[in-house]
Amino acid sequence: MDSNATPLDRLRRPRRGRVLLAGALGVLGAITALTVSVPADAAESTLGAAAAQSGRYFGTAISAGKLGDSQYTTIAAREFNMVTAENEMKIDATEPNQNQFNFTNGDRVYNWAVQNGKRVRGHTLAWHQQQPGWMQSLSGSALRQAMINHINGVMAHYKGKIYAWDVVNEAFDDGNGGRRDSNLQRTGNDWIEVAFRTARAADPAAKLCYNDYNIDNWTWAKTQGVYNMVKDFKARGVPIDCVGLQSHFNSGSPYNSNYRTTISSFAALGVDVQITELDIQGASPTTYANVVNDCLAVPRCNGITVWGVRDQDSWRSGDTPLLFSGGNKKPAYDAVLNALNAAGPNTSPSPTPPVSPSPTPPVSPSPTPPVSPSPGTSPEPGGCSATISTVNSWPGGFQSEVTVKAGNSSVNGWTVSWTWPGGQTISSLWNGTQSGSGSNMVVRNAPYNGSIAAGATTTFGFTANGSAATPSLTCTRA
């Protein structure tokens, strides 16, 4: 979520039962949550420090454009120990023109965070919104490859520096719990899996999260749809480490007492849970305390991020949903701090990652360097050659890239063929058209990449089932 997003999408719950006000919900455990007495010598005085006592974080969304506001930065630097860039690491900000990356504002947020001793969450790599115009104009395999290139380019720039990435954002529909119809979804139902596998190869140290709104209530179809996807991914070895619950609670999508069931059910699949964009209409102290206590009750709930510092910074400022009004702490702040201080010592099942590395000056944009091929390469009789390299591999599958190069004259159509050595099968292909059967593979050019100038190259890629292999390739001109 952000100030640029359209609020109606997030504030609406389609065709559910009666609407309840968020501020009136969450009665269970409220009295305990608000009246727990904490010994003075054990209590921390800031949200981040209080959360750290149980091995968790308490973070906020930061906007680069507000880093010149001293009230804003004073509160943010004092209170939070995790930062998410509000808009500055999204697709339109980081790749405004295809293959031309711009990290100026993303680095401003990142550098401010680490200079103030905070870790950073990355948000977001693949999303149907806030795509630049060039990406919106693509479809099919060209869009699929652009998504892969974007993930590689952004994660390469921040490799080893980001605690967790929201790899895919808001890919499920609000109505029936199925996939959202989007340009990315229309590239093939495996696009989310490809995004996660690409992200794992790009930065193996980062936690990889799926992030969505309206998946807080355990009974909703959308929650169950995401749950089933994560369950499937874990069963098949698709690399997913965490689920992000945005938790934008309001009268159309209110807090429900089964929220803890949702958190614990996702955690039981073997993933962490992170509350990634919390804001609550009216900032009910009771509801804020209940959310915190629900997270604290589940060891794999790593932490909480509120979506903004002060009410005036919120994308829904009219709802006064945050913990600060101007420079003043609201009653909800005290409720959250008391709940965090009441938690026992470190209950996190996994060690807290180290603080992100010290900042470095922004790096001039450059395309993602190619992976060094470990190839089967064809000669150039017939006017073209083809080289295959393994980009990524995992138990039971792998991702490869093939480079097709024209010889000393131009090519106006090409075909690459090979024989699999051990029963491998392609599961997804982009920038080419697959034919052949069994172990004998044939890939022809797509309609848009058949013409190659003399000495120039084009590429196609695929994911496949089986053990990674680099067979000998044959390239022929059409």
Side-chain angles (χ1 to χ4, degrees):
M1 302 303 168
D2 54 78
S3 55
N4 297 332
T6 302
L8 289 179
D9 234 6
R10 282 80 179 175
L11 301 184
R12 188 187 302 122
R13 260 310 303 176
R15 296 182 294 280
R16 283 282 160 193
R18 67 183 184 277
V19 172
L20 301 176
L21 290 177
L25 295 177
V27 175
L28 294 178
I31 296 176
T32 302
L34 295 176
T35 60
V36 169
S37 176
V38 181
D41 59 353
E44 293 288 352
S45 61
T46 66
L47 300 172
Q53 294 176 114
S54 64
R56 293 173 172 85
Y57 64 81
F58 203 96
T60 191
I62 290 292
S63 170
K66 294 173 182 173
L67 291 177
D69 181 332
S70 60
Q71 183 186 83
Y72 178 93
T73 55
T74 296
I75 295 171
R78 180 186 72 226
E79 293 291 340
F80 304 104
N81 58 355
M82 182 72 74
V83 160
T84 303
E86 187 171 352
N87 288 295
E88 292 80 358
M89 293 185 186
K90 290 177 180 173
I91 309 168
D92 55 352
T94 52
E95 195 178 358
N97 299 297
Q98 189 167 14
N99 297 321
Q100 295 179 0
F101 292 91
N102 187 337
F103 300 106
T104 301
N105 284 325
D107 286 348
R108 284 187 66 198
V109 174
Y110 174 83
N111 288 343
W112 180 88
V114 297
Q115 284 165 355
N116 286 277
K118 305 174 193 317
R119 290 180 289 156
V120 178
R121 294 188 80 259
H123 177 79
T124 179
L125 296 169
W127 189 25
H128 68 282
Q129 290 193 359
Q130 287 185 245
Q131 294 179 1
W134 67 263
M135 182 174 279
Q136 295 174 35
S137 70
L138 299 179
S139 61
S141 57
L143 176 60
R144 174 68 66 87
Q145 187 60 47
M147 177 194 76
I148 292 169
N149 292 344
H150 179 79
I151 293 170
N152 282 328
V154 174
M155 294 189 76
H157 180 75
Y158 291 108
K159 186 173 184 178
K161 299 178 179 180
I162 299 294
Y163 163 69
W165 275 104
D166 292 330
V167 178
V168 173
N169 200 47
E170 300 176 3
F172 277 73
D173 180 72
D174 281 309
N176 59 16
R179 295 286 187 88
R180 177 191 298 274
D181 179 31
S182 70
N183 61 346
L184 291 169
Q185 178 63 27
R186 290 190 292 273
T187 68
N189 202 53
D190 64 338
W191 75 272
I192 299 178
E193 176 176 346
V194 170
F196 274 89
R197 294 196 187 280
T198 302
R200 174 66 86 224
D203 188 354
K207 288 181 180 289
L208 307 181
C209 304
Y210 175 80
N211 191 54
D212 216 328
Y213 67 96
N214 282 354
I215 59 170
D216 313 291
N217 188 317
W218 180 244
T219 68
W220 284 347
K222 185 174 182 180
T223 308
Q224 294 300 311
V226 174
Y227 175 86
N228 288 330
M229 179 192 73
V230 176
K231 183 178 181 181
D232 171 63
F233 279 11
K234 294 299 291 184
R236 293 192 296 110
V238 178
I240 183 169
D241 304 309
C242 43
V243 172
L245 309 181
Q246 291 183 13
S247 301
H248 294 287
F249 291 125
N250 57 81
S251 57
S253 179
Y255 169 86
N256 187 282
S257 59
N258 68 27
Y259 186 60
R260 188 177 300 188
T261 300
T262 303
I263 297 173
S264 61
S265 296
F266 277 114
L269 294 177
V271 294
D272 294 336
V273 179
Q274 299 173 6
I275 301 171
T276 55
E277 304 182 20
L278 178 65
D279 46 28
I280 299 173
Q281 183 178 20
S284 160
T286 297
T287 308
Y288 259 110
N290 285 342
V291 169
V292 172
N293 283 323
D294 288 341
C295 178
L296 293 172
V298 181
R300 292 201 72 149
C301 185
N302 301 141
I304 299 169
T305 295
V306 288
W307 203 244
V309 177
R310 307 162 298 187
D311 283 339
Q312 69 203 66
D313 309 312
S314 171
W315 66 293
R316 35 190 294 220
S317 57
D319 288 342
T320 61
L322 296 175
L323 302 177
F324 290 86
S325 177
N328 299 317
K329 301 171 182 176
K330 296 163 64 173
Y333 172 94
D334 296 323
V336 169
L337 185 65
N338 288 341
L340 292 170
N341 274 321
N346 191 351
T347 57
S348 176
S350 49
T352 303
V355 173
S356 301
S358 300
T360 53
V363 179
S364 300
S366 57
T368 306
V371 177
S372 299
S374 39
T377 305
S378 74
E380 290 186 7
C384 62
S385 64
T387 302
I388 186 171
S389 62
T390 300
V391 176
N392 188 16
S393 63
W394 53 89
F398 60 100
Q399 178 181 335
S400 293
E401 182 176 271
V402 176
T403 299
V404 181
K405 181 179 180 181
N408 54 15
S409 61
S410 63
V411 170
N412 293 309
W414 48 264
T415 300
V416 176
S417 58
W418 69 90
T419 300
W420 286 121
Q424 293 85 352
T425 57
I426 289 179
S427 56
S428 176
L429 176 77
W430 50 91
N431 292 349
T433 302
Q434 177 184 346
S435 59
S437 60
S439 61
N440 298 313
M441 290 304 308
V442 178
V443 175
R444 294 183 171 86
N445 59 273
Y448 52 82
N449 65 353
S451 297
I452 313 174
T457 63
T458 189
T459 63
F460 68 88
F462 58 83
T463 56
N465 303 312
S467 302
T470 53
S472 296
L473 308 183
T474 300
C475 183
T476 56
R477 299 170 59 162

